[in-house]
């Protein structure tokens, strides 16, 4: 029986050069598969980062468009009524897509231009804010003195 097993082993055994080339091919295939797996994982990380970056830009663009919609709707509401009955301030809420937008507006007519306002208006403003009337007139005089250019021959008291 030993002779039979030995003869069988000789028949199935291949030369040593054939055995070594088969091992080399397996190692090469494994290295190629490892390199492809590495490239696939690097690409997956790249795609994930790109998708995350696009999500941030998408939120910014949506916020800008919601602000534009709020401004346009405010302008529409103000111009839809008669000029005499327009409110100087107000607020409203609307929903656009998945966002709830709260808008609050104030007319620019109520603002005072410190460079152009007369002394009486400035004094009335300070008095309305709680200053004594004499102090309010003094503050108004200071503002008018500050915004008025001095004569070239005189020294600026401000």
């Amino acid at each position: 029986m030993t002779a039979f097993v030995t003869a069988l082993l000789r028949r199935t055994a291949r030369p040593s050069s054939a055995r070594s080339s088969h091992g080399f091919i397996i190692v090469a295939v494994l290295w190629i598969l490892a390199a492809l797996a590495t490239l696939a994982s690097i690409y997956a990380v790249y795609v994930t980062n790109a998708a995350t970056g696009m999500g941030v830009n998408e939120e910014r663009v949506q916020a800008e468009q919601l602000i534009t919609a709020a401004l346009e709707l405010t302008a529409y509401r103000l111009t839809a009524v008669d000029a005499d009955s327009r409110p100087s301030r107000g607020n409203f809420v609307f929903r656009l897509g998945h966002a709830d937008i709260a808008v609050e507006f104030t007319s620019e007519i109520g603002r005072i231009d410190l460079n152009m306002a007369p002394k009486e208006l400035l004094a009335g403003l300070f008095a309305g804010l709680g200053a004594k009337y004499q102090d309010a007139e003094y503050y108004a005089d200071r503002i008018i003195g500050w915004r008025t250019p001095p004569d070239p021959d005189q020294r600026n008291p401000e």
Side-chain angles (χ1 to χ4, degrees), residues 8-152:
L8 185 61
L9 285 175
R10 282 187 197 154
R11 244 181 178 180
T12 58
R14 295 193 174 122
S16 62
S17 63
R19 275 186 292 188
S20 65
S21 70
H22 285 297
F24 174 76
I25 291 174
I26 290 175
V27 171
V29 167
L30 290 176
W31 275 105
I32 290 171
L33 288 175
L36 287 175
T38 304
L39 288 175
S41 60
I42 290 171
Y43 183 71
V45 169
Y46 170 75
V47 168
T48 302
N49 289 340
T52 303
M54 291 300 288
V56 171
N57 288 338
E58 181 182 342
E59 290 175 1
R60 191 184 84 227
V61 169
Q62 285 178 354
E64 288 176 7
Q65 294 306 314
L66 291 172
I67 291 169
T68 301
L71 289 171
E72 289 177 359
L73 189 56
T74 302
Y76 171 73
R77 286 186 173 207
L78 288 176
T79 57
V81 297
D82 192 20
D84 295 331
S85 62
R86 282 188 195 143
S88 62
R89 63 183 330 155
N91 58 10
F92 61 93
V93 177
F94 69 96
R95 182 170 178 81
L96 185 64
H98 297 291
D100 293 321
I101 296 103
V103 178
E104 184 174 333
F105 62 90
T106 304
S107 174
E108 292 290 317
I109 287 180
R111 298 184 87 163
I112 297 174
D113 182 8
L114 295 178
N115 291 323
M116 301 299 291
K119 178 181 175 183
E120 296 79 23
L121 180 62
L122 293 172
L125 169 68
F126 290 124
L129 292 174
K132 296 179 185 173
Y133 193 73
Q134 290 177 342
D135 293 337
E137 283 188 340
Y138 172 74
Y139 299 147
D141 284 336
R142 294 292 308 262
I143 289 174
I144 290 174
W146 177 76
R147 72 181 186 195
T148 306
D151 290 334

